[in-house]
Amino acid sequence: MLALIQQTLAVTAPVFAMLFLGVLLKRLGWIDTAFVNTASSLVFKGTLPALLFLAILRADLSAALQPRLLIYFTLATVGGFLLAWAWAIWRCPHADRGVYVQGAFRGNNGIVGLALASSLYGDFGLSLGGVLAGLVILCYNALSALVLALYSPSSKTDPWSIAKSILGNPLVLAVLAAIPFAYWRIPLPDWLLTSTGYFAQMSLPLALICIGATLSLASLRESGATALSASLMKMIWLPALSTLGAWWLGFRGPELGILFLYFASPTAAASFVMAKAVGSNYQLAAAIIVMTTLMAVLSTNLGLFVLQWGGWV
């Protein structure tokens, strides 16, 4: 149990460090609102698409392909998205529903989920987790673009406008562009991959610094109840239901463990960037990221303890 807690902290602690750095830099006056706006736009339009492109490009789509597991994960993700959306319609203010839904279903699988899967299951965890990450990127970004377009104050809600919003999303475009290169193993020049890697590596630090810079006690108080509701949905209810469904269908061992880790990952930092890009309540998005990352240290370890105690993983 202690080893699992240390592994989780090793992944989440750097996230907290960058969040607090953003708070500190804002307090010191080294960055301001103009910087946050510019940096968030750069992440959304440039560095994060580059990161996603490389993640898909480097994933071995022919390895660890388990159609039954991938189909279940996709269906569970869509089911969790619809459940969070239904709950938001009932309990959440109209203007915040898109941010609520995105925060409640979109996990940080590329950082937290993949790191824990690799740590616990070695090469198999890295291989299966990498394939799942490619699927996750496409599902999360398409569904997030849809729900944010529906509730964004600056977006039109007719079907054509929503379709354009999804297909014109830089993150979705990056994934679609990378799939043929990954599937057919089309080589790219080493210098191009290296330069793109340098550019992409700015994504997480910049996004987390911007999140930290927007955090304040006032904004946390204002979004407290809504952020807590979304965080409980993300870290307890949806992982429990999805993992129970996987267990009922017969998944066991590393497959069940990796599915749980991906379902139980805290909300992705990209949710803040997307919310800010479409003019939604990015302060609520930031609060959800902070709360779910805090919860992950306890909930991830507790969930793994239960699964190990039952002899299922």
Side-chain angles (χ1 to χ4, degrees):
M1 183 69 173
L2 179 59
L4 290 175
I5 292 176
Q6 290 175 335
Q7 288 170 349
T8 308
L9 280 173
V11 177
T12 57
V15 174
F16 286 123
M18 297 307 297
L19 287 171
F20 292 136
L21 179 61
V23 175
L24 177 63
L25 293 177
K26 183 70 181 295
R27 290 287 183 90
L28 292 174
W30 291 9
I31 62 175
D32 55 14
T33 302
F35 172 87
V36 171
N37 292 337
T38 302
S40 297
S41 179
L42 175 63
V43 171
F44 178 66
K45 296 177 181 178
T47 65
L48 192 53
L51 183 67
L52 298 183
F53 183 89
L54 290 178
I56 296 289
L57 186 67
R58 290 167 177 166
D60 187 356
L61 301 182
S62 63
L65 281 177
Q66 301 186 32
R68 182 167 168 264
L69 185 145
L70 296 176
I71 290 171
Y72 175 75
F73 185 85
T74 302
L75 293 176
T77 297
V78 174
F81 168 78
L82 294 174
L83 183 60
W85 195 352
W87 185 262
I89 291 173
W90 182 41
R91 300 285 293 180
C92 188
H94 184 275
D96 291 339
R97 287 176 187 170
V99 176
Y100 180 100
V101 174
Q102 184 188 209
F105 95 97
R106 181 177 191 165
N108 192 353
N109 300 133
I111 303 297
V112 178
L114 185 58
L116 290 177
S118 175
S119 176
L120 290 177
Y121 298 111
D123 290 340
F124 178 79
L126 186 61
S127 178
L128 179 56
V131 173
L132 270 178
L135 181 63
V136 159
I137 289 167
L138 187 57
C139 289
Y140 282 175
N141 286 295
L143 293 174
S144 296
L146 169 65
V147 76
L148 287 173
L150 283 171
Y151 293 106
S152 170
S154 60
S155 298
K156 298 179 180 179
T157 56
D158 60 278
W160 175 241
S161 296
I162 293 174
K164 286 197 301 181
S165 176
I166 296 173
L167 294 176
N169 186 295
L171 308 182
V172 175
L173 289 174
V175 173
L176 295 177
I179 289 174
F181 287 91
Y183 185 78
W184 284 296
R185 312 309 298 174
I186 300 173
L188 291 173
D190 289 341
W191 68 265
L192 180 60
L193 293 175
T194 302
S195 299
T196 305
Y198 291 156
F199 186 60
Q201 287 169 9
M202 294 191 293
S203 299
L204 190 61
L206 267 182
L208 292 174
I209 286 173
C210 291
I211 292 168
T214 61
L215 285 177
S216 67
L217 291 178
S219 65
L220 287 173
R221 282 195 298 267
E222 290 172 5
S223 58
T226 304
L228 180 60
S229 174
S231 299
L232 291 173
M233 178 77 72
K234 178 69 193 75
M235 301 308 297
I236 297 178
W237 305 122
L238 292 185
L241 290 172
S242 299
T243 306
L244 182 61
W247 175 86
W248 182 73
L249 288 173
F251 289 103
R252 296 291 187 274
E255 290 84 3
L256 182 61
I258 291 171
L259 282 172
F260 167 73
L261 290 173
Y262 271 56
F263 290 135
S265 291
T267 302
S271 63
F272 167 85
V273 177
M274 285 189 67
K276 191 166 182 60
V278 299
S280 294
N281 187 350
Y282 59 87
Q283 291 178 324
L284 172 60
I288 294 171
I289 292 167
V290 172
M291 287 187 182
T292 56
T293 305
L294 281 169
M295 290 181 181
V297 177
L298 178 62
S299 63
T300 302
N301 289 284
L302 183 60
L304 283 173
F305 174 79
V306 171
L307 291 174
Q308 290 178 332
W309 173 77
W312 300 312
V313 301

